[in-house]
Amino acid sequence: HYVRTPEQKQTSSHVLSWASCDTHTMRHRVAFRKLGRHTAHRIAMLRTMTTQLIKYERIRTTEAKAKELRRPADRMVTLAKKGDSEHTRRLVNAFLREAPITDKLFETLVPRYTERPGGYTRVLKCGLREGDKAPMAYIEFVDNGLDIQIKDMK
């Protein structure tokens, strides 16, 4: 924090300069979370998690990862909704890790969300992880028909 010199303590007209203090920086124009990983690792992790989310329609992960996973997951559904052409299938295949998951996206998820303009996923907080007390959450597709009761929801 900012430390005053003895001369500054005596003068009452001195104004503290918080611009020089590193503890009060604002996060303007920060687009995404880095998740403690390098760019290639982060992108690979999000691709894998997006594939698993489409495959199982609900996954459990940390809260920060779940919130960051919303963007690529919603983007894949939006891209698939543009039409079942060879071009869109190739774009989706370039991002997802498994080819059969692409078929599930186009045949199951797209018809489910034809009327929905966006917001295909939801994040449900589910407490803290046992080992390090990291906040955990479920991310799932809305209107998925899965069991509502999740055993460790708090």
Side-chain angles (χ1 to χ4, degrees), residues 45-118:
M45 180 189 68
L46 290 173
R47 286 178 62 191
T48 302
M49 290 178 74
T50 302
T51 303
Q52 296 303 311
L53 179 61
I54 294 171
K55 184 176 184 177
Y56 298 110
E57 297 193 25
R58 177 190 291 156
I59 59 174
R60 184 173 188 247
T61 183
T62 63
E63 190 177 321
K65 287 179 191 172
K67 288 180 178 180
E68 195 59 32
L69 183 60
R70 290 181 296 194
R71 296 176 69 212
D74 286 355
R75 188 173 293 139
M76 286 298 108
V77 175
T78 302
L79 183 62
K81 279 175 62 175
K82 289 184 179 179
D84 192 1
S85 66
E86 187 174 350
H87 178 66
T88 55
R89 279 189 175 266
R90 285 183 178 179
L91 288 174
V92 170
N93 268 331
F95 189 81
L96 298 180
R97 298 286 190 186
E98 301 173 22
I101 303 303
T102 304
D103 295 333
K104 179 178 181 181
L105 176 64
F106 279 94
E107 295 166 7
T108 306
L109 296 180
V110 169
R112 186 187 304 169
Y113 300 124
T114 52
E115 298 299 319
R116 183 179 283 270

Side-chain angles (χ1 to χ4, degrees), residues 122-140:
R122 76 167 62 99
V123 175
L124 302 169
K125 297 178 183 181
C126 64
L128 303 175
R129 187 160 51 197
E130 190 64 34
D132 59 354
K133 301 298 183 195
M136 299 299 286
Y138 285 96
I139 181 169
E140 66 180 10

